[in-house]
């Protein structure tokens, strides 16, 4: 975990330095496109489909103003089945989430862009599961706890550093490095929420993450 935080912080410092240290282009603002729309798919999430731990689908829309200032909306759906969530039971968390934010993007090389953004995120999800603890001696009753919760909510913030490479006039591939900071969620008294779709496990108030994306620019 510490190594992942250090990697994220180092990447943040490096990319931020490139973003704000780039010299201004010789062309005027009038030569820039006023609005550049893009659609993108998080293809890294598709790689988790064969894995029992989770299934995720995520995509987004980016509106880039003056080729520097993005407005970003992301939408996703996830079903989480983390092994070992409870040592004597089963667990599943399923729901949808969205993120919205803005930031700054700079042209690093002719085919490469880098940037930084700040995003607000929210998730609505359900939990289900069963915990069973058997008394081996018979001195106590067996413990059985069913989990069935609906319409739970959570919110968090994300600091995102960004890099992409243009493959053609239409397609680009890129990487988002995220630092998620949990703001609020529907805590439970008996057995608390274990995992939030779009965020991760509630045992950490901050979580580093990364995702790969394919972007189509019009």
């Amino acid at each position: 975990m510490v190594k992942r935080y250090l990697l994220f912080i180092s990447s943040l410092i490096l990319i931020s330095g490139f973003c704000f240290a780039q010299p201004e282009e010789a062309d005027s603002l009038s030569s820039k496109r006023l609005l550049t729309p893009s659609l993108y798919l998080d293809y890294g999430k598709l790689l988790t489909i064969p894995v029992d731990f989770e299934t995720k689908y995520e995509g987004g829309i980016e509106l880039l103003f003056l080729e520097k200032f993005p407005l970003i909306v992301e939408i996703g759906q996830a079903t989480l089945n983390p092994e070992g969530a409870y040592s004597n039971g089963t667990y599943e968390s399923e729901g949808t989430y969205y993120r919205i934010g803005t930031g700054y993007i700079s042209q690093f090389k002719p085919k490469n862009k880098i940037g930084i953004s700040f995003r607000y995120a929210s998730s609505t999800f359900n939990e289900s599961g069963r915990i069973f603890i058997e008394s081996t001696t018979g001195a106590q009753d067996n413990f059985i706890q069913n989990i069935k919760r609906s319409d739970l909510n959570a919110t968090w913030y994300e600091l995102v550093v960004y890099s992409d490479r243009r493959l053609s006039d239409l397609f680009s591939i890129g990487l988002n490095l995220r630092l998620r900071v949990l703001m609020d969620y529907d805590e439970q008294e008996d057995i608390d929420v274990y995992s939030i779709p779009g965020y991760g496990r509630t045992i950490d108030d901050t979580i580093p993450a990364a995702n790969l994306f394919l972007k189509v620019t019009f």
Side-chain angles (χ1 to χ4, degrees), residues 61-79:
I61 300 172
E62 178 186 274
L63 300 177
L64 185 61
F65 297 91
L66 298 174
E67 300 179 18
K68 285 186 176 293
F69 307 103
L71 175 63
I72 303 162
V73 178
E74 300 171 306
I75 300 174
Q77 188 277 337
T79 301

PDB file of all heavy atoms in Angstrom, residues 61-79:
ATOM      1  N   ILE A  61     -17.564  10.650 -21.038  1.00  0.00           N
ATOM      2  CA  ILE A  61     -17.619  11.710 -22.036  1.00  0.00           C
ATOM      3  C   ILE A  61     -16.684  12.830 -21.589  1.00  0.00           C
ATOM      4  O   ILE A  61     -16.668  13.196 -20.407  1.00  0.00           O
ATOM      5  CB  ILE A  61     -19.046  12.259 -22.179  1.00  0.00           C
ATOM      6  CG1 ILE A  61     -20.012  11.155 -22.605  1.00  0.00           C
ATOM      7  CG2 ILE A  61     -19.091  13.410 -23.175  1.00  0.00           C
ATOM      8  CD1 ILE A  61     -21.463  11.594 -22.575  1.00  0.00           C
ATOM      9  N   GLU A  62     -15.910  13.345 -22.523  1.00  0.00           N
ATOM     10  CA  GLU A  62     -15.043  14.484 -22.238  1.00  0.00           C
ATOM     11  C   GLU A  62     -15.344  15.600 -23.227  1.00  0.00           C
ATOM     12  O   GLU A  62     -15.360  15.374 -24.438  1.00  0.00           O
ATOM     13  CB  GLU A  62     -13.574  14.080 -22.353  1.00  0.00           C
ATOM     14  CG  GLU A  62     -12.605  15.242 -22.117  1.00  0.00           C
ATOM     15  CD  GLU A  62     -11.156  14.855 -22.391  1.00  0.00           C
ATOM     16  OE1 GLU A  62     -10.522  14.329 -21.469  1.00  0.00           O
ATOM     17  OE2 GLU A  62     -10.706  15.058 -23.536  1.00  0.00           O
ATOM     18  N   LEU A  63     -15.591  16.794 -22.723  1.00  0.00           N
ATOM     19  CA  LEU A  63     -15.738  17.997 -23.540  1.00  0.00           C
ATOM     20  C   LEU A  63     -14.529  18.874 -23.260  1.00  0.00           C
ATOM     21  O   LEU A  63     -14.387  19.399 -22.155  1.00  0.00           O
ATOM     22  CB  LEU A  63     -17.038  18.725 -23.206  1.00  0.00           C
ATOM     23  CG  LEU A  63     -18.333  17.926 -23.413  1.00  0.00           C
ATOM     24  CD1 LEU A  63     -19.532  18.750 -22.976  1.00  0.00           C
ATOM     25  CD2 LEU A  63     -18.482  17.485 -24.861  1.00  0.00           C
ATOM     26  N   LEU A  64     -13.656  19.007 -24.241  1.00  0.00           N
ATOM     27  CA  LEU A  64     -12.407  19.740 -24.071  1.00  0.00           C
ATOM     28  C   LEU A  64     -12.545  21.138 -24.682  1.00  0.00           C
ATOM     29  O   LEU A  64     -12.761  21.285 -25.882  1.00  0.00           O
ATOM     30  CB  LEU A  64     -11.261  18.978 -24.741  1.00  0.00           C
ATOM     31  CG  LEU A  64      -9.856  19.548 -24.549  1.00  0.00           C
ATOM     32  CD1 LEU A  64      -9.477  19.579 -23.068  1.00  0.00           C
ATOM     33  CD2 LEU A  64      -8.840  18.727 -25.339  1.00  0.00           C
ATOM     34  N   PHE A  65     -12.432  22.159 -23.844  1.00  0.00           N
ATOM     35  CA  PHE A  65     -12.570  23.545 -24.275  1.00  0.00           C
ATOM     36  C   PHE A  65     -11.190  24.146 -24.548  1.00  0.00           C
ATOM     37  O   PHE A  65     -10.286  24.044 -23.717  1.00  0.00           O
ATOM     38  CB  PHE A  65     -13.305  24.365 -23.214  1.00  0.00           C
ATOM     39  CG  PHE A  65     -14.719  23.913 -22.976  1.00  0.00           C
ATOM     40  CD1 PHE A  65     -14.998  22.970 -22.000  1.00  0.00           C
ATOM     41  CD2 PHE A  65     -15.760  24.411 -23.741  1.00  0.00           C
ATOM     42  CE1 PHE A  65     -16.297  22.543 -21.773  1.00  0.00           C
ATOM     43  CE2 PHE A  65     -17.066  23.990 -23.528  1.00  0.00           C
ATOM     44  CZ  PHE A  65     -17.331  23.052 -22.544  1.00  0.00           C
ATOM     45  N   LEU A  66     -11.045  24.765 -25.729  1.00  0.00           N
ATOM     46  CA  LEU A  66      -9.807  25.427 -26.128  1.00  0.00           C
ATOM     47  C   LEU A  66      -8.597  24.499 -26.031  1.00  0.00           C
ATOM     48  O   LEU A  66      -7.478  24.935 -25.801  1.00  0.00           O
ATOM     49  CB  LEU A  66      -9.579  26.692 -25.288  1.00  0.00           C
ATOM     50  CG  LEU A  66     -10.642  27.779 -25.435  1.00  0.00           C
ATOM     51  CD1 LEU A  66     -10.389  28.902 -24.442  1.00  0.00           C
ATOM     52  CD2 LEU A  66     -10.664  28.321 -26.856  1.00  0.00           C
ATOM     53  N   GLU A  67      -8.855  23.185 -26.173  1.00  0.00           N
ATOM     54  CA  GLU A  67      -7.821  22.158 -26.178  1.00  0.00           C
ATOM     55  C   GLU A  67      -7.028  22.082 -24.873  1.00  0.00           C
ATOM     56  O   GLU A  67      -5.945  21.491 -24.825  1.00  0.00           O
ATOM     57  CB  GLU A  67      -6.868  22.362 -27.360  1.00  0.00           C
ATOM     58  CG  GLU A  67      -7.578  22.306 -28.701  1.00  0.00           C
ATOM     59  CD  GLU A  67      -6.650  22.527 -29.882  1.00  0.00           C
ATOM     60  OE1 GLU A  67      -5.423  22.393 -29.705  1.00  0.00           O
ATOM     61  OE2 GLU A  67      -7.145  22.820 -30.980  1.00  0.00           O
ATOM     62  N   LYS A  68      -7.583  22.649 -23.784  1.00  0.00           N
ATOM     63  CA  LYS A  68      -6.860  22.664 -22.510  1.00  0.00           C
ATOM     64  C   LYS A  68      -7.720  22.337 -21.292  1.00  0.00           C
ATOM     65  O   LYS A  68      -7.224  21.795 -20.305  1.00  0.00           O
ATOM     66  CB  LYS A  68      -6.207  24.031 -22.289  1.00  0.00           C
ATOM     67  CG  LYS A  68      -4.972  24.294 -23.136  1.00  0.00           C
ATOM     68  CD  LYS A  68      -4.313  25.594 -22.746  1.00  0.00           C
ATOM     69  CE  LYS A  68      -3.025  25.802 -23.537  1.00  0.00           C
ATOM     70  NZ  LYS A  68      -1.983  24.816 -23.178  1.00  0.00           N
ATOM     71  N   PHE A  69      -8.995  22.697 -21.327  1.00  0.00           N
ATOM     72  CA  PHE A  69      -9.823  22.627 -20.125  1.00  0.00           C
ATOM     73  C   PHE A  69     -10.945  21.607 -20.317  1.00  0.00           C
ATOM     74  O   PHE A  69     -11.924  21.887 -21.023  1.00  0.00           O
ATOM     75  CB  PHE A  69     -10.398  24.012 -19.800  1.00  0.00           C
ATOM     76  CG  PHE A  69      -9.348  25.083 -19.721  1.00  0.00           C
ATOM     77  CD1 PHE A  69      -9.187  25.984 -20.770  1.00  0.00           C
ATOM     78  CD2 PHE A  69      -8.514  25.161 -18.620  1.00  0.00           C
ATOM     79  CE1 PHE A  69      -8.206  26.967 -20.710  1.00  0.00           C
ATOM     80  CE2 PHE A  69      -7.530  26.146 -18.544  1.00  0.00           C
ATOM     81  CZ  PHE A  69      -7.373  27.045 -19.596  1.00  0.00           C
ATOM     82  N   PRO A  70     -10.824  20.416 -19.704  1.00  0.00           N
ATOM     83  CA  PRO A  70     -11.828  19.360 -19.909  1.00  0.00           C
ATOM     84  C   PRO A  70     -12.960  19.406 -18.884  1.00  0.00           C
ATOM     85  O   PRO A  70     -12.759  19.731 -17.710  1.00  0.00           O
ATOM     86  CB  PRO A  70     -11.004  18.090 -19.722  1.00  0.00           C
ATOM     87  CG  PRO A  70      -9.977  18.482 -18.692  1.00  0.00           C
ATOM     88  CD  PRO A  70      -9.657  19.928 -18.956  1.00  0.00           C
ATOM     89  N   LEU A  71     -14.156  19.080 -19.352  1.00  0.00           N
ATOM     90  CA  LEU A  71     -15.288  18.749 -18.497  1.00  0.00           C
ATOM     91  C   LEU A  71     -15.527  17.266 -18.690  1.00  0.00           C
ATOM     92  O   LEU A  71     -15.768  16.817 -19.811  1.00  0.00           O
ATOM     93  CB  LEU A  71     -16.526  19.561 -18.873  1.00  0.00           C
ATOM     94  CG  LEU A  71     -17.813  19.201 -18.112  1.00  0.00           C
ATOM     95  CD1 LEU A  71     -17.652  19.485 -16.621  1.00  0.00           C
ATOM     96  CD2 LEU A  71     -19.007  19.958 -18.680  1.00  0.00           C
ATOM     97  N   ILE A  72     -15.465  16.490 -17.604  1.00  0.00           N
ATOM     98  CA  ILE A  72     -15.449  15.035 -17.694  1.00  0.00           C
ATOM     99  C   ILE A  72     -16.622  14.444 -16.910  1.00  0.00           C
ATOM    100  O   ILE A  72     -16.853  14.816 -15.752  1.00  0.00           O
ATOM    101  CB  ILE A  72     -14.128  14.464 -17.136  1.00  0.00           C
ATOM    102  CG1 ILE A  72     -12.941  15.065 -17.878  1.00  0.00           C
ATOM    103  CG2 ILE A  72     -14.108  12.948 -17.220  1.00  0.00           C
ATOM    104  CD1 ILE A  72     -11.629  14.913 -17.160  1.00  0.00           C
ATOM    105  N   VAL A  73     -17.352  13.533 -17.540  1.00  0.00           N
ATOM    106  CA  VAL A  73     -18.415  12.780 -16.881  1.00  0.00           C
ATOM    107  C   VAL A  73     -18.151  11.297 -17.115  1.00  0.00           C
ATOM    108  O   VAL A  73     -17.989  10.866 -18.259  1.00  0.00           O
ATOM    109  CB  VAL A  73     -19.811  13.158 -17.421  1.00  0.00           C
ATOM    110  CG1 VAL A  73     -20.878  12.315 -16.735  1.00  0.00           C
ATOM    111  CG2 VAL A  73     -20.090  14.644 -17.218  1.00  0.00           C
ATOM    112  N   GLU A  74     -18.096  10.520 -16.039  1.00  0.00           N
ATOM    113  CA  GLU A  74     -17.849   9.081 -16.125  1.00  0.00           C
ATOM    114  C   GLU A  74     -19.004   8.327 -15.477  1.00  0.00           C
ATOM    115  O   GLU A  74     -19.539   8.761 -14.451  1.00  0.00           O
ATOM    116  CB  GLU A  74     -16.550   8.710 -15.409  1.00  0.00           C
ATOM    117  CG  GLU A  74     -15.320   9.391 -15.980  1.00  0.00           C
ATOM    118  CD  GLU A  74     -14.092   9.172 -15.124  1.00  0.00           C
ATOM    119  OE1 GLU A  74     -14.155   9.478 -13.912  1.00  0.00           O
ATOM    120  OE2 GLU A  74     -13.087   8.690 -15.657  1.00  0.00           O
ATOM    121  N   ILE A  75     -19.377   7.208 -16.074  1.00  0.00           N
ATOM    122  CA  ILE A  75     -20.457   6.369 -15.558  1.00  0.00           C
ATOM    123  C   ILE A  75     -19.991   4.923 -15.561  1.00  0.00           C
ATOM    124  O   ILE A  75     -19.344   4.476 -16.514  1.00  0.00           O
ATOM    125  CB  ILE A  75     -21.729   6.517 -16.413  1.00  0.00           C
ATOM    126  CG1 ILE A  75     -22.214   7.966 -16.416  1.00  0.00           C
ATOM    127  CG2 ILE A  75     -22.839   5.594 -15.899  1.00  0.00           C
ATOM    128  CD1 ILE A  75     -23.379   8.213 -17.344  1.00  0.00           C
ATOM    129  N   GLY A  76     -20.307   4.198 -14.491  1.00  0.00           N
ATOM    130  CA  GLY A  76     -19.882   2.808 -14.416  1.00  0.00           C
ATOM    131  C   GLY A  76     -20.875   1.935 -13.674  1.00  0.00           C
ATOM    132  O   GLY A  76     -21.751   2.431 -12.956  1.00  0.00           O
ATOM    133  N   GLN A  77     -20.725   0.631 -13.858  1.00  0.00           N
ATOM    134  CA  GLN A  77     -21.520  -0.376 -13.145  1.00  0.00           C
ATOM    135  C   GLN A  77     -20.568  -1.467 -12.690  1.00  0.00           C
ATOM    136  O   GLN A  77     -19.678  -1.882 -13.437  1.00  0.00           O
ATOM    137  CB  GLN A  77     -22.605  -0.950 -14.053  1.00  0.00           C
ATOM    138  CG  GLN A  77     -23.605  -1.876 -13.352  1.00  0.00           C
ATOM    139  CD  GLN A  77     -23.124  -3.302 -13.209  1.00  0.00           C
ATOM    140  OE1 GLN A  77     -22.267  -3.761 -13.959  1.00  0.00           O
ATOM    141  NE2 GLN A  77     -23.658  -4.006 -12.213  1.00  0.00           N
ATOM    142  N   ALA A  78     -20.728  -1.926 -11.454  1.00  0.00           N
ATOM    143  CA  ALA A  78     -19.806  -2.927 -10.919  1.00  0.00           C
ATOM    144  C   ALA A  78     -20.543  -3.911 -10.025  1.00  0.00           C
ATOM    145  O   ALA A  78     -21.475  -3.545  -9.302  1.00  0.00           O
ATOM    146  CB  ALA A  78     -18.682  -2.256 -10.135  1.00  0.00           C
ATOM    147  N   THR A  79     -20.096  -5.160 -10.082  1.00  0.00           N
ATOM    148  CA  THR A  79     -20.513  -6.203  -9.151  1.00  0.00           C
ATOM    149  C   THR A  79     -19.256  -6.753  -8.503  1.00  0.00           C
ATOM    150  O   THR A  79     -18.369  -7.262  -9.192  1.00  0.00           O
ATOM    151  CB  THR A  79     -21.271  -7.333  -9.866  1.00  0.00           C
ATOM    152  OG1 THR A  79     -22.420  -6.790 -10.520  1.00  0.00           O
ATOM    153  CG2 THR A  79     -21.711  -8.394  -8.872  1.00  0.00           C
TER     154      THR A  79
END
